[in-house]
Coordinates of all heavy atoms in Angstrom, one line a residue:
M1 N 43.6 -1.2 9.0 CA 42.9 -2.4 8.5 C 44.0 -3.3 7.8 O 44.7 -2.8 6.9 CB 41.7 -2.1 7.6 CG 41.1 -3.4 7.0 SD 39.5 -3.0 6.2 CE 38.4 -2.8 7.6
A2 N 44.0 -4.6 8.1 CA 44.9 -5.5 7.5 C 44.3 -5.9 6.1 O 43.1 -6.1 6.0 CB 45.1 -6.7 8.4
S3 N 45.2 -6.1 5.2 CA 44.7 -6.5 3.8 C 45.8 -7.4 3.2 O 47.0 -7.2 3.4 CB 44.5 -5.2 3.0 OG 44.2 -5.6 1.7
K4 N 45.3 -8.3 2.4 CA 46.2 -9.2 1.7 C 45.5 -9.6 0.3 O 44.3 -9.9 0.3 CB 46.5 -10.4 2.5 CG 47.6 -11.3 2.0 CD 47.9 -12.5 2.9 CE 48.9 -12.1 3.9 NZ 49.4 -13.2 4.8
I5 N 46.3 -9.6 -0.7 CA 45.8 -10.1 -2.0 C 46.4 -11.5 -2.3 O 47.6 -11.7 -2.2 CB 46.3 -9.1 -3.2 CG1 45.6 -7.7 -2.9 CG2 45.8 -9.7 -4.5 CD1 46.1 -6.7 -3.9
V6 N 45.5 -12.4 -2.6 CA 45.9 -13.8 -2.8 C 45.2 -14.3 -4.1 O 44.2 -13.7 -4.6 CB 45.5 -14.7 -1.6 CG1 46.3 -14.3 -0.4 CG2 44.0 -14.6 -1.3
I7 N 45.7 -15.4 -4.6 CA 45.2 -16.1 -5.8 C 44.4 -17.3 -5.4 O 44.8 -18.1 -4.5 CB 46.4 -16.5 -6.7 CG1 47.3 -15.4 -7.0 CG2 45.9 -17.2 -7.9 CD1 46.7 -14.3 -7.8
V8 N 43.2 -17.4 -6.0 CA 42.3 -18.6 -5.7 C 43.0 -19.8 -6.1 O 43.4 -20.0 -7.3 CB 41.0 -18.4 -6.4 CG1 40.1 -19.7 -6.2 CG2 40.2 -17.2 -5.9
G9 N 43.1 -20.8 -5.2 CA 43.8 -22.1 -5.5 C 42.8 -23.2 -5.8 O 43.3 -24.2 -6.4
S10 N 41.6 -23.1 -5.5 CA 40.7 -24.2 -5.7 C 40.4 -24.4 -7.2 O 40.1 -23.4 -7.9 CB 39.3 -24.0 -5.0 OG 39.5 -24.1 -3.6
A11 N 40.5 -25.6 -7.7 CA 40.3 -25.9 -9.1 C 38.9 -25.4 -9.6 O 38.8 -25.0 -10.8 CB 40.4 -27.4 -9.3
V12 N 37.9 -25.4 -8.8 CA 36.6 -24.9 -9.2 C 36.3 -23.5 -8.9 O 35.2 -23.0 -9.0 CB 35.5 -25.9 -8.7 CG1 35.6 -27.3 -9.2 CG2 35.5 -25.8 -7.2
G13 N 37.3 -22.8 -8.3 CA 37.1 -21.4 -7.9 C 36.4 -21.4 -6.5 O 36.3 -22.4 -5.8
L14 N 35.9 -20.3 -6.2 CA 35.2 -20.1 -4.9 C 33.7 -20.5 -5.0 O 32.8 -19.7 -4.9 CB 35.4 -18.7 -4.3 CG 36.8 -18.3 -4.0 CD1 36.9 -16.9 -3.4 CD2 37.5 -19.4 -3.1
H15 N 33.5 -21.8 -5.3 CA 32.1 -22.3 -5.4 C 31.7 -22.9 -4.1 O 32.4 -22.7 -3.0 CB 32.0 -23.3 -6.5 CG 32.0 -22.5 -7.9 ND1 30.9 -22.0 -8.4 CD2 33.0 -22.2 -8.7 CE1 31.2 -21.3 -9.5 NE2 32.5 -21.5 -9.7
A16 N 30.7 -23.7 -4.0 CA 30.0 -24.2 -2.8 C 30.9 -24.7 -1.7 O 30.9 -24.1 -0.6 CB 29.0 -25.2 -3.1
R17 N 31.7 -25.7 -2.0 CA 32.5 -26.3 -0.9 C 33.6 -25.3 -0.4 O 33.7 -25.1 0.8 CB 33.1 -27.6 -1.3 CG 33.8 -28.3 -0.2 CD 34.3 -29.7 -0.6 NE 34.7 -30.5 0.5 CZ 35.9 -30.3 1.2 NH1 36.7 -29.4 0.7 NH2 36.2 -31.0 2.2
P18 N 34.4 -24.8 -1.3 CA 35.4 -23.8 -0.8 C 34.8 -22.6 -0.1 O 35.3 -22.2 1.0 CB 36.2 -23.4 -2.0 CG 36.0 -24.5 -3.0 CD 34.6 -25.0 -2.7
A19 N 33.7 -22.1 -0.6 CA 33.0 -21.0 0.0 C 32.5 -21.3 1.4 O 32.6 -20.5 2.3 CB 31.9 -20.5 -0.9
S20 N 32.0 -22.5 1.6 CA 31.5 -23.0 2.9 C 32.6 -23.1 3.9 O 32.5 -22.6 5.0 CB 30.8 -24.3 2.7 OG 30.4 -24.8 3.9
V21 N 33.8 -23.6 3.5 CA 34.9 -23.7 4.4 C 35.4 -22.3 4.8 O 35.7 -22.1 6.0 CB 36.0 -24.5 3.7 CG1 37.3 -24.5 4.5 CG2 35.6 -26.0 3.5
I22 N 35.5 -21.4 3.9 CA 36.0 -20.1 4.1 C 35.0 -19.4 5.0 O 35.4 -18.7 6.0 CB 36.2 -19.3 2.8 CG1 37.4 -19.9 2.1 CG2 36.4 -17.8 3.1 CD1 37.5 -19.5 0.6
A23 N 33.7 -19.5 4.7 CA 32.7 -18.8 5.5 C 32.7 -19.3 7.0 O 32.5 -18.5 7.9 CB 31.3 -19.0 4.9
E24 N 32.8 -20.6 7.1 CA 32.8 -21.1 8.5 C 34.0 -20.6 9.3 O 33.9 -20.2 10.4 CB 32.9 -22.7 8.5 CG 32.9 -23.3 9.8 CD 32.9 -24.8 9.8 OE1 32.4 -25.4 8.8 OE2 33.4 -25.4 10.7
A25 N 35.2 -20.5 8.6 CA 36.4 -20.0 9.3 C 36.2 -18.5 9.6 O 36.5 -18.0 10.7 CB 37.6 -20.2 8.4
A26 N 35.7 -17.7 8.7 CA 35.5 -16.3 8.9 C 34.5 -16.0 10.0 O 34.6 -15.0 10.7 CB 35.1 -15.6 7.6
G27 N 33.5 -16.8 10.1 CA 32.5 -16.7 11.1 C 33.0 -16.8 12.6 O 32.3 -16.5 13.5
Q28 N 34.2 -17.4 12.7 CA 34.8 -17.6 14.0 C 35.4 -16.4 14.6 O 35.9 -16.4 15.7 CB 35.8 -18.8 14.0 CG 35.1 -20.1 13.6 CD 36.1 -21.2 13.4 OE1 37.3 -21.0 13.5 NE2 35.6 -22.4 13.2
Y29 N 35.5 -15.3 13.8 CA 36.2 -14.1 14.2 C 35.1 -13.0 14.6 O 34.1 -12.9 13.9 CB 37.1 -13.5 13.2 CG 38.3 -14.4 12.9 CD1 38.3 -15.4 11.9 CD2 39.4 -14.3 13.7 CE1 39.3 -16.3 11.7 CE2 40.5 -15.1 13.5 CZ 40.5 -16.1 12.5 OH 41.5 -16.9 12.3
S30 N 35.4 -12.2 15.6 CA 34.4 -11.2 16.0 C 34.5 -10.0 15.0 O 33.5 -9.3 14.8 CB 34.7 -10.7 17.4 OG 36.0 -10.3 17.6
D31 N 35.7 -9.8 14.4 CA 35.8 -8.7 13.5 C 35.3 -9.2 12.1 O 35.5 -10.3 11.7 CB 37.3 -8.2 13.3 CG 37.7 -7.5 14.6 OD1 37.0 -6.6 15.1 OD2 38.9 -7.8 15.0
E32 N 34.7 -8.2 11.4 CA 34.2 -8.6 10.0 C 35.4 -8.8 9.1 O 36.4 -8.1 9.2 CB 33.4 -7.5 9.4 CG 32.8 -7.8 8.1 CD 32.0 -6.6 7.5 OE1 32.3 -5.5 7.8 OE2 31.1 -7.0 6.8
V33 N 35.3 -9.8 8.2 CA 36.3 -10.2 7.2 C 35.6 -10.0 5.9 O 34.5 -10.5 5.7 CB 36.8 -11.6 7.4 CG1 37.9 -11.9 6.3 CG2 37.4 -11.8 8.8
T34 N 36.2 -9.2 5.0 CA 35.6 -9.1 3.7 C 36.5 -9.6 2.6 O 37.7 -9.6 2.7 CB 35.2 -7.6 3.4 OG1 36.4 -6.8 3.4 CG2 34.3 -7.0 4.4
L35 N 35.9 -10.0 1.5 CA 36.6 -10.4 0.3 C 36.1 -9.6 -0.9 O 34.9 -9.2 -1.0 CB 36.2 -11.9 0.0 CG 36.4 -12.9 1.0 CD1 36.0 -14.3 0.5 CD2 37.9 -12.9 1.5
S36 N 37.0 -9.3 -1.8 CA 36.6 -8.6 -3.0 C 37.5 -9.0 -4.2 O 38.6 -9.4 -4.0 CB 36.7 -7.0 -2.8 OG 38.0 -6.6 -2.5
V37 N 37.0 -8.8 -5.4 CA 37.8 -8.9 -6.6 C 37.8 -7.6 -7.3 O 37.0 -6.7 -7.0 CB 37.1 -10.0 -7.5 CG1 37.1 -11.4 -6.9 CG2 35.7 -9.6 -7.9
A38 N 38.8 -7.5 -8.2 CA 38.9 -6.2 -8.9 C 37.6 -5.7 -9.5 O 36.9 -6.5 -10.2 CB 40.0 -6.3 -10.0
G39 N 37.3 -4.5 -9.2 CA 36.1 -3.9 -9.8 C 34.8 -4.2 -9.1 O 33.7 -3.8 -9.5
G40 N 34.9 -5.0 -8.0 CA 33.7 -5.4 -7.3 C 33.6 -4.9 -5.9 O 34.6 -4.4 -5.4
D41 N 32.4 -4.9 -5.4 CA 32.2 -4.5 -4.0 C 32.7 -5.6 -3.0 O 32.5 -6.8 -3.3 CB 30.8 -4.2 -3.7 CG 30.3 -2.9 -4.5 OD1 31.1 -2.0 -4.7 OD2 29.1 -2.9 -4.9
P42 N 33.2 -5.2 -1.8 CA 33.5 -6.3 -0.8 C 32.3 -7.0 -0.4 O 31.2 -6.4 -0.3 CB 34.1 -5.5 0.3 CG 34.2 -4.1 -0.1 CD 33.4 -3.9 -1.4
V43 N 32.4 -8.3 -0.1 CA 31.4 -9.1 0.5 C 31.8 -9.7 1.8 O 33.0 -9.9 2.1 CB 30.9 -10.2 -0.5 CG1 30.4 -9.6 -1.8 CG2 32.0 -11.2 -0.7
D44 N 30.8 -10.0 2.6 CA 31.1 -10.6 4.0 C 31.6 -12.0 3.8 O 30.9 -12.9 3.2 CB 29.8 -10.6 4.8 CG 30.0 -11.2 6.2 OD1 31.1 -11.6 6.5 OD2 28.9 -11.2 6.9
A45 N 32.8 -12.3 4.3 CA 33.4 -13.6 4.1 C 32.8 -14.7 5.0 O 33.1 -15.9 4.8 CB 34.9 -13.5 4.4
A46 N 31.9 -14.3 5.9 CA 31.2 -15.3 6.7 C 30.0 -15.8 6.0 O 29.2 -16.6 6.6 CB 30.8 -14.6 8.1
S47 N 29.7 -15.4 4.8 CA 28.5 -15.9 4.1 C 29.0 -16.6 2.8 O 29.6 -16.0 1.9 CB 27.7 -14.7 3.6 OG 26.7 -15.1 2.7
A48 N 28.8 -17.9 2.8 CA 29.1 -18.7 1.6 C 28.4 -18.2 0.4 O 29.0 -18.2 -0.7 CB 28.8 -20.2 1.9
L49 N 27.2 -17.8 0.5 CA 26.4 -17.4 -0.6 C 27.0 -16.1 -1.2 O 27.2 -16.0 -2.4 CB 24.9 -17.1 -0.2 CG 24.0 -16.7 -1.3 CD1 23.9 -17.7 -2.4 CD2 22.6 -16.4 -0.8
L50 N 27.4 -15.2 -0.3 CA 28.0 -13.9 -0.8 C 29.4 -14.2 -1.5 O 29.8 -13.5 -2.4 CB 28.1 -12.9 0.3 CG 26.8 -12.3 0.7 CD1 27.0 -11.4 1.9 CD2 26.0 -11.6 -0.4
I51 N 30.1 -15.1 -0.9 CA 31.4 -15.5 -1.5 C 31.2 -16.0 -2.9 O 32.0 -15.6 -3.8 CB 32.1 -16.5 -0.6 CG1 32.6 -15.9 0.7 CG2 33.4 -17.1 -1.4 CD1 33.1 -16.9 1.7
M52 N 30.2 -16.8 -3.1 CA 30.0 -17.3 -4.5 C 29.6 -16.2 -5.5 O 29.8 -16.4 -6.7 CB 28.9 -18.4 -4.4 CG 29.4 -19.7 -3.7 SD 28.3 -21.1 -3.8 CE 27.0 -20.6 -2.7
T53 N 29.0 -15.1 -5.0 CA 28.6 -14.0 -5.9 C 29.8 -13.3 -6.5 O 29.7 -12.6 -7.4 CB 27.7 -13.0 -5.2 OG1 28.4 -12.3 -4.2 CG2 26.5 -13.6 -4.6
L54 N 31.0 -13.5 -5.9 CA 32.2 -12.9 -6.4 C 32.6 -13.5 -7.8 O 33.2 -12.8 -8.6 CB 33.4 -13.2 -5.5 CG 33.4 -12.5 -4.1 CD1 34.5 -13.0 -3.2 CD2 33.5 -11.0 -4.3
G55 N 32.2 -14.7 -8.1 CA 32.5 -15.3 -9.3 C 34.0 -15.5 -9.5 O 34.5 -15.5 -10.6
A56 N 34.7 -15.8 -8.4 CA 36.1 -16.0 -8.5 C 36.5 -17.4 -8.9 O 36.2 -18.3 -8.2 CB 36.7 -15.7 -7.1
S57 N 37.1 -17.5 -10.0 CA 37.6 -18.8 -10.5 C 39.0 -19.0 -10.1 O 39.7 -18.1 -9.6 CB 37.4 -18.9 -12.0 OG 38.1 -17.9 -12.7
K58 N 39.6 -20.2 -10.4 CA 41.0 -20.5 -10.1 C 41.9 -19.5 -10.8 O 41.7 -19.2 -11.9 CB 41.3 -21.9 -10.5 CG 42.8 -22.3 -10.2 CD 43.1 -23.7 -10.6 CE 44.5 -24.1 -10.4 NZ 44.9 -24.2 -9.1
G59 N 42.8 -18.9 -10.0 CA 43.7 -17.9 -10.5 C 43.3 -16.5 -10.3 O 44.0 -15.6 -10.6
T60 N 42.0 -16.3 -9.9 CA 41.5 -14.9 -9.7 C 42.2 -14.3 -8.4 O 42.4 -15.0 -7.4 CB 40.0 -14.9 -9.5 OG1 39.4 -15.4 -10.6 CG2 39.5 -13.5 -9.2
E61 N 42.6 -13.0 -8.5 CA 43.1 -12.3 -7.4 C 41.9 -11.9 -6.5 O 41.0 -11.3 -7.0 CB 43.9 -11.1 -7.8 CG 45.2 -11.4 -8.4 CD 46.0 -10.1 -8.6 OE1 45.5 -9.0 -8.6 OE2 47.3 -10.2 -8.8
V62 N 42.0 -12.2 -5.2 CA 41.0 -11.8 -4.2 C 41.7 -11.0 -3.1 O 42.7 -11.4 -2.6 CB 40.3 -13.1 -3.6 CG1 39.4 -12.7 -2.5 CG2 39.6 -13.8 -4.7
T63 N 41.1 -9.9 -2.7 CA 41.6 -9.1 -1.6 C 40.8 -9.5 -0.3 O 39.6 -9.5 -0.3 CB 41.4 -7.6 -1.9 OG1 42.1 -7.3 -3.1 CG2 41.9 -6.7 -0.7
V64 N 41.6 -9.8 0.7 CA 41.0 -10.1 2.0 C 41.3 -9.0 2.9 O 42.5 -8.5 3.0 CB 41.6 -11.4 2.6 CG1 41.0 -11.8 3.9 CG2 41.6 -12.5 1.6
E65 N 40.3 -8.4 3.6 CA 40.5 -7.3 4.6 C 39.7 -7.6 5.9 O 38.7 -8.1 5.9 CB 39.9 -6.0 3.9 CG 40.7 -5.6 2.7 CD 40.2 -4.2 2.2 OE1 39.0 -4.0 2.1 OE2 41.1 -3.4 1.9
S66 N 40.4 -7.1 7.0 CA 39.8 -7.2 8.3 C 40.6 -6.3 9.2 O 41.8 -6.1 9.0 CB 39.7 -8.6 8.8 OG 39.2 -8.7 10.1
D67 N 40.0 -5.9 10.3 CA 40.8 -5.3 11.4 C 41.6 -6.3 12.2 O 42.5 -5.9 12.9 CB 39.8 -4.5 12.4 CG 39.2 -3.3 11.7 OD1 39.9 -2.7 10.8 OD2 38.1 -2.9 12.2
D68 N 41.3 -7.6 12.0 CA 42.1 -8.6 12.7 C 43.1 -9.2 11.7 O 42.7 -10.0 10.8 CB 41.1 -9.7 13.2 CG 41.8 -10.8 14.0 OD1 43.0 -10.9 13.9 OD2 41.0 -11.5 14.7
P69 N 44.4 -8.9 11.9 CA 45.4 -9.5 11.0 C 45.4 -11.0 11.0 O 45.7 -11.6 9.9 CB 46.7 -8.9 11.5 CG 46.3 -7.7 12.3 CD 45.0 -8.0 12.9
A70 N 45.1 -11.6 12.1 CA 45.1 -13.1 12.1 C 44.0 -13.7 11.3 O 44.2 -14.7 10.6 CB 45.0 -13.6 13.6
A71 N 42.9 -13.0 11.2 CA 41.8 -13.4 10.4 C 42.2 -13.3 8.9 O 41.9 -14.2 8.1 CB 40.5 -12.6 10.7
V72 N 42.8 -12.2 8.6 CA 43.2 -12.0 7.2 C 44.2 -13.1 6.8 O 44.1 -13.7 5.7 CB 43.9 -10.6 7.0 CG1 44.6 -10.5 5.6 CG2 42.9 -9.5 7.2
D73 N 45.2 -13.4 7.6 CA 46.1 -14.5 7.3 C 45.4 -15.9 7.2 O 45.7 -16.6 6.2 CB 47.2 -14.6 8.4 CG 48.2 -13.4 8.4 OD1 48.2 -12.7 7.4 OD2 48.9 -13.2 9.4
R74 N 44.5 -16.2 8.1 CA 43.8 -17.5 8.0 C 43.0 -17.6 6.7 O 43.0 -18.6 6.0 CB 43.0 -17.7 9.2 CG 42.4 -19.1 9.2 CD 41.7 -19.4 10.5 NE 41.1 -20.7 10.4 CZ 40.0 -21.1 11.2 NH1 39.5 -20.2 12.1 NH2 39.5 -22.3 11.0
I75 N 42.2 -16.6 6.5 CA 41.3 -16.6 5.3 C 42.1 -16.6 4.0 O 41.8 -17.3 3.1 CB 40.2 -15.5 5.4 CG1 39.4 -15.6 6.7 CG2 39.3 -15.5 4.2 CD1 38.7 -16.9 6.9
A76 N 43.1 -15.8 4.0 CA 43.9 -15.8 2.8 C 44.6 -17.1 2.5 O 44.6 -17.6 1.4 CB 45.0 -14.7 2.9
G77 N 45.0 -17.8 3.6 CA 45.6 -19.1 3.4 C 44.6 -20.1 2.9 O 45.0 -20.9 2.1
L78 N 43.4 -20.0 3.3 CA 42.3 -20.9 2.8 C 42.1 -20.7 1.4 O 41.9 -21.6 0.6 CB 41.1 -20.8 3.7 CG 41.1 -21.3 5.1 CD1 39.8 -20.9 5.9 CD2 41.3 -22.9 5.1
I79 N 42.0 -19.4 1.0 CA 41.7 -19.1 -0.4 C 42.8 -19.6 -1.4 O 42.5 -20.1 -2.5 CB 41.5 -17.6 -0.6 CG1 40.3 -17.1 0.1 CG2 41.5 -17.2 -2.1 CD1 40.1 -15.6 0.2
Q80 N 44.0 -19.7 -0.9 CA 45.1 -20.1 -1.7 C 45.1 -21.6 -1.9 O 45.8 -22.1 -2.8 CB 46.4 -19.6 -1.1 CG 46.6 -18.1 -1.2 CD 47.9 -17.7 -0.5 OE1 48.1 -18.0 0.6 NE2 48.7 -17.0 -1.3
Q81 N 44.5 -22.3 -1.0 CA 44.5 -23.8 -1.1 C 43.4 -24.3 -2.1 O 42.4 -23.7 -2.4 CB 44.1 -24.4 0.3 CG 45.1 -24.1 1.4 CD 44.6 -24.7 2.7 OE1 43.9 -25.6 2.8 NE2 45.0 -24.0 3.8
D82 N 43.7 -25.6 -2.5 CA 42.7 -26.3 -3.3 C 41.8 -27.0 -2.4 O 42.0 -28.1 -2.0 CB 43.3 -27.2 -4.3 CG 42.3 -27.8 -5.3 OD1 41.1 -27.6 -5.1 OD2 42.7 -28.6 -6.2
L83 N 40.7 -26.3 -1.9 CA 39.8 -26.8 -0.9 C 38.9 -28.0 -1.4 O 38.3 -28.6 -0.6 CB 39.0 -25.7 -0.3 CG 39.8 -24.6 0.4 CD1 38.9 -23.5 0.8 CD2 40.5 -25.2 1.6
D84 N 38.9 -28.2 -2.7 CA 38.2 -29.4 -3.2 C 39.0 -30.6 -3.2 O 38.5 -31.7 -3.4 CB 37.7 -29.1 -4.7 CG 36.5 -28.1 -4.7 OD1 35.6 -28.3 -3.9 OD2 36.5 -27.2 -5.5
A85 N 40.3 -30.5 -3.0 CA 41.2 -31.6 -3.1 C 41.2 -32.4 -1.8 O 41.5 -33.6 -1.8 CB 42.7 -31.2 -3.3
S86 N 40.8 -31.8 -0.7 CA 40.8 -32.6 0.6 C 39.5 -33.2 0.9 O 38.5 -33.0 0.3 CB 41.1 -31.6 1.7 OG 40.3 -30.5 1.8

């Protein structure tokens, strides 16, 4: 399983808009993509609601995992961006 640890780049953390963008991207892959923070259970990255339950603010380390390395790279890249800036 591919895995990558990234830092949340969005100024507001993984709240509604960033979570929606990430969930939409994760939903395009047939393999499950999960996100987790230290001490927490993994959540389905294709669900904006579950992403928001992580409570990840700007600067939080998030682990992205999937059997699809391309999915991990794409979702990790989105998490690192300030998705509220665009």
